[in-house]
Amino acid sequence: MATKRAPVDHMQGFRGPGPRGPMMAGPIPKVKDRRGILRRLWRYLACYRAGLLGIALLVAATTGLTLLCPYLMGRAIDRYISAGDMRGLLLLLGVMLVVYLLTSAGTWLQTVGMIRIAQHTVRDIRHELFDKLQALSLRFFDRHPHGELMSRLTNDTESISATLGDSVTQLINSVLSVVGAAAIMFTLNWRLALATLVTFPLVMLTTRWIGERSRQGFRDRQRNLGELNGIVEETILGQRVVKVCRHEQQATANFAAANEALRRTATTALISVGLMGPAMGVFRNLGFAILAGTGGWLVTKNLATIGMVAAFVNYADFFNRPLNQLANLYGTVQSALAGAERVFAIMDEAPEVEDAADAEELRDVCGDVAFSGVSFGYLPEAPVLNDVTFHAAAGQTIALVGPTGAGKTTIINLLTRFYDIDAGSIAIDGKDIRQVRKDSLRRALGIVLQDTFLFAGTVRDNIRYGRLDASDADVDAAARLANAESFIRHLPHGFDTVLSDAGNSLSQGQRQLLAIARTLLANPAILILDEATSSVDTRTEIHIQQAMRRLMQGRTSFIIAHRLSTIREADCILVIDHGQIAERGTHDALLAQQGVYYHLYYSQFTHLARSGIIRQETASGM
């Protein structure tokens, strides 16, 4: 759950309908079956049953050996020390030394084995969570801060890892120690056993009372940690805007507020669970006092021996120490359960865009696209498109123009099936895109966005992202066709130059050329250009337009245009206004109508003339 905070300029905040729809920070629903968290974790651990069985046997063996030591010590007192039998005493001490060595070796082996199983288990959970994130729709990512999701993938899974690695063997050992110690004590002397168990009900009640109060604290801590990560992530990504707008102090204040909230919840959670240790210490000391008094009285009545009382003192420690260990583990377990709850909450999210059960592969795509009565809204109460109908024949170029927020990019989001439509149908080559597999649909589409994203890696790797099995020669050819080869050759290591920070060391135009090369390599049947030249200078735009013309040859193309002069040759221009197609036709036909397009075009033309750009535009073919 994300708490509201005052919007700051440098934050991404809320966005209106656009390439990613409205950004709305909202809570991820809690996992529906909280009591089933342990069962779900066990399903992952169960994949390693053989290893767990071996560890359980080791724990049982070491616990048995550990429980044998107090008995041997009592025998040493009553049989050898009392009788002055040094030979027998030394022999028994040798046996005890072997027992301690075997116990230490077994403990080391079970620790190593459990760490391995824990890491494998958390690797599986992390992998499944990441796969789930890949399956979720863009609507999910629009509505949840990215840093919060990253926290669930890293911090929450790591809390599970710490608990599995440290706590499982201790938990098994503690249970076996308590049960074993109780069984041995009742076998040796039921009176002393009852005296040892007097404080047990108090321990159970205290554990339950503290647990109920600490669990919510750990949930709050994990939630606040996710919010803090969200602030860090968006502030780092928006660092340029922070500095330009001089909001460093505001960014620091936002971080300080979230950091303070995390401190408060973490302190509350840790103080609550921290009561467990002192409380167990009180009960342990009380138990020793009761046992010592009862044992002394029984010795005077010849109902127990001194060696037996000494053994019981040790068994009482074996009985109470596991309870103290469980108390100390309680905070770690609660943190892990809170983390697991947040992880499973994402795994329980249903993908909003799924393949139909009978979905088919989209093969041999020609590129015929038809929208029929399409309506859609990112929010049910705020429709963005209303009854949009048009047809793009294979090989045609369709331009989408209109004011900001009219619904141009939404049409593209629906064609790529980033979102599913509310009404109507979208067909490619006569097949409803809801009846074809998403991966085959998107394989037929190539997209060049206004804001190009480049991954960490080499220039060659980023171009090859369009088709991972492409050879180096294919990558070079795509770069050449995209007019990108010349600037790539001037980079420090050419195609092997490593890019970082989303490629911000390159200019906007260079990033666009790499995106065009990536799309050329993918060789899609349908091309989407989303204002691909709106953020570059005129000279760079000429290079990009040359590359785009090569890219568009023989393909159905959809162009979202910022500069209307760049779409004069489009086969059809769709003027989108308030979610509907207000006008459609060629450039000349729309100008002749003197409608919406006419006013958009000449208002832009006048602006360019006043700014002195018109002469450059004319030179480039306006």
Side-chain angles (χ1 to χ4, degrees):
M1 296 178 63
T3 56
K4 294 183 179 179
R5 56 179 184 269
V8 183
D9 291 347
H10 72 273
M11 299 295 181
Q12 294 175 357
F14 293 87
R15 291 200 297 253
R20 295 281 308 281
M23 171 67 81
M24 295 171 294
I28 298 173
K30 292 182 179 179
V31 66
K32 298 175 182 178
D33 183 13
R34 294 182 187 175
R35 294 182 180 179
I37 292 176
L38 289 175
R39 289 196 299 271
R40 294 179 72 168
L41 285 174
W42 168 247
R43 287 203 293 270
Y44 291 96
L45 282 168
C47 297
Y48 307 97
R49 286 188 182 92
L52 287 172
L53 178 60
I55 290 172
L57 292 175
L58 276 173
V59 172
T62 54
T63 302
L65 290 172
T66 303
L67 291 172
L68 181 62
C69 291
Y71 173 77
L72 294 176
M73 185 185 70
R75 295 280 293 177
I77 293 173
D78 288 340
R79 176 169 294 186
Y80 301 115
I81 295 177
S82 299
D85 185 354
M86 291 301 298
R87 181 179 178 183
L89 178 62
L90 291 175
L91 181 62
L92 188 59
L93 290 176
V95 172
M96 293 179 66
L97 177 61
V98 172
V99 170
Y100 281 124
L101 290 174
L102 290 174
T103 301
S104 300
T107 302
W108 180 79
L109 288 174
Q110 71 193 34
T111 300
V112 171
M114 195 61 226
I115 288 174
R116 291 181 180 276
I117 291 177
Q119 290 304 314
H120 278 82
T121 301
V122 174
R123 177 203 61 188
D124 296 342
I125 293 174
R126 194 182 292 122
H127 192 278
E128 184 174 333
L129 177 59
F130 190 80
D131 280 350
K132 181 67 175 186
L133 289 173
Q134 304 310 302
L136 293 173
S137 66
L138 287 184
R139 192 191 299 266
F140 175 85
F141 294 97
D142 289 341
R143 294 181 175 181
H144 301 103
H146 300 165
E148 162 73 9
L149 300 179
M150 290 169 60
S151 180
R152 298 197 183 212
L153 187 61
T154 54
N155 296 327
D156 292 330
T157 55
E158 193 57 36
S159 68
I160 299 173
S161 172
T163 299
L164 293 179
D166 298 337
S167 305
V168 172
T169 54
Q170 290 190 42
L171 180 63
I172 298 173
N173 179 271
S174 298
V175 172
L176 291 178
S177 295
V178 169
V179 174
I184 292 174
M185 286 190 294
F186 274 100
T187 301
L188 294 176
N189 191 307
W190 64 269
R191 296 179 180 84
L192 286 175
L194 288 177
T196 305
L197 296 177
V198 167
T199 59
F200 185 71
L202 295 175
V203 171
M204 293 295 99
L205 290 174
T206 302
T207 300
R208 182 176 180 180
W209 182 80
I210 294 176
E212 290 175 350
R213 283 154 180 77
S214 62
R215 181 174 301 175
Q216 184 59 47
F218 280 102
R219 289 197 192 106
D220 294 340
R221 186 187 72 167
Q222 295 299 110
R223 185 195 68 234
N224 287 337
L225 181 59
E227 292 175 359
L228 185 70
N229 285 337
I231 291 176
V232 171
E233 187 253 359
E234 68 180 2
T235 303
I236 291 175
L237 288 178
Q239 193 58 221
R240 286 179 173 80
V241 181
V242 173
K243 293 185 180 302
V244 168
C245 296
R246 304 178 307 282
H247 280 328
E248 292 90 347
Q249 291 184 351
Q250 183 63 56
T252 301
N254 287 341
F255 178 84
N259 199 23
E260 175 62 19
L262 176 59
R263 183 201 63 79
R264 286 197 303 268
T265 54
T267 301
T268 300
L270 294 174
I271 286 177
S272 297
V273 80
L275 293 174
M276 192 75 76
M280 294 302 105
V282 170
F283 295 136
R284 180 184 180 188
N285 293 332
L286 178 61
F288 278 137
I290 294 174
L291 178 60
T294 304
W297 181 79
L298 290 175
V299 169
T300 60
K301 300 296 183 180
N302 293 322
L303 296 175
T305 64
I306 295 176
M308 183 179 294
V309 173
F312 262 82
V313 169
N314 282 275
Y315 279 124
D317 188 46
F318 277 110
F319 189 81
N320 291 314
R321 185 168 55 193
L323 295 178
N324 289 333
Q325 289 176 343
L326 290 175
N328 293 329
L329 287 174
Y330 202 81
T332 305
V333 171
Q334 289 296 329
S335 178
L337 291 178
E341 182 177 351
R342 286 160 51 83
V343 168
F344 292 143
I346 294 182
M347 291 187 181
D348 290 341
E349 282 282 323
E352 298 177 15
V353 180
E354 293 186 284
D355 286 333
D358 57 348
E360 303 175 356
E361 289 286 323
L362 188 62
R363 302 180 185 277
D364 303 322
V365 179
C366 296
D368 187 276
V369 179
F371 275 58
S372 301
V374 172
S375 296
F376 171 78
Y378 294 103
L379 298 174
E381 66 275 10
V384 178
L385 296 180
N386 183 26
D387 194 25
V388 172
T389 299
F390 66 86
H391 174 246
Q396 279 192 327
T397 297
I398 306 297
L400 305 175
V401 302
T404 300
K408 306 183 296 297
T409 300
T410 299
I411 290 176
I412 301 306
N413 285 338
L414 299 180
L415 176 60
T416 53
R417 211 176 169 215
F418 289 154
Y419 302 86
D420 266 341
I421 60 178
D422 297 331
S425 67
I426 302 173
I428 294 179
D429 293 349
K431 296 181 180 179
D432 192 312
I433 63 173
R434 290 170 294 186
Q435 298 303 316
V436 301
R437 294 180 60 84
K438 294 194 303 289
D439 56 349
S440 65
L441 166 67
R442 291 168 186 167
R443 202 161 43 237
L445 302 171
I447 306 176
V448 180
L449 300 173
Q450 177 182 358
D451 297 321
T452 301
F453 186 86
L454 299 178
F455 295 90
T458 65
V459 171
R460 191 182 302 278
D461 291 338
N462 272 278
I463 297 176
R464 187 178 277 124
Y465 203 81
R467 180 162 56 88
L468 296 179
D469 60 351
S471 66
D472 287 352
D474 292 334
V475 172
D476 293 347
R480 194 177 306 114
L481 288 172
N483 283 345
E485 187 180 36
S486 60
F487 89 80
I488 293 174
R489 296 296 183 190
H490 286 87
L491 295 176
H493 302 287
F495 281 89
D496 295 321
T497 300
V498 176
L499 304 177
S500 59
D501 192 23
N504 283 330
S505 57
L506 302 178
S507 69
Q508 175 69 23
Q510 290 172 332
R511 293 199 297 270
Q512 290 285 19
L513 291 175
L514 290 183
I516 293 172
R518 179 193 295 168
T519 306
L520 275 165
L521 192 63
N523 193 28
I526 300 171
L527 181 64
I528 297 167
L529 304 173
D530 188 351
E531 299 193 7
T533 63
S534 63
S535 300
V536 298
D537 60 85
T538 306
R539 180 180 178 85
T540 304
E541 182 180 356
I542 295 173
H543 291 290
I544 293 177
Q545 286 180 344
Q546 290 173 349
M548 287 197 302
R549 279 194 287 270
R550 297 191 187 104
L551 183 60
M552 293 165 60
Q553 288 178 1
R555 295 182 172 91
T556 305
S557 302
F558 291 87
I559 304 175
I560 296 179
H562 176 71
R563 297 179 184 175
L564 301 184
S565 60
T566 62
I567 57 167
R568 296 175 63 177
E569 304 303 321
D571 296 300
C572 181
I573 299 173
L574 303 179
V575 183
I576 314 299
D577 192 25
H578 294 93
Q580 295 180 314
I581 299 179
E583 296 174 353
R584 70 183 76 201
T586 64
H587 172 76
D588 293 334
L590 291 177
L591 287 181
Q593 291 181 23
Q594 297 191 7
V596 178
Y597 182 80
Y598 174 88
H599 292 291
L600 282 173
Y601 182 80
Y602 279 104
S603 64
Q604 190 176 98
F605 187 92
T606 303
H607 170 73
L608 292 174
R610 289 175 177 172
S611 61
I613 299 175
I614 188 64
R615 291 186 298 274
Q616 300 175 21
E617 293 281 6
T618 303
S620 63
M622 181 175 174

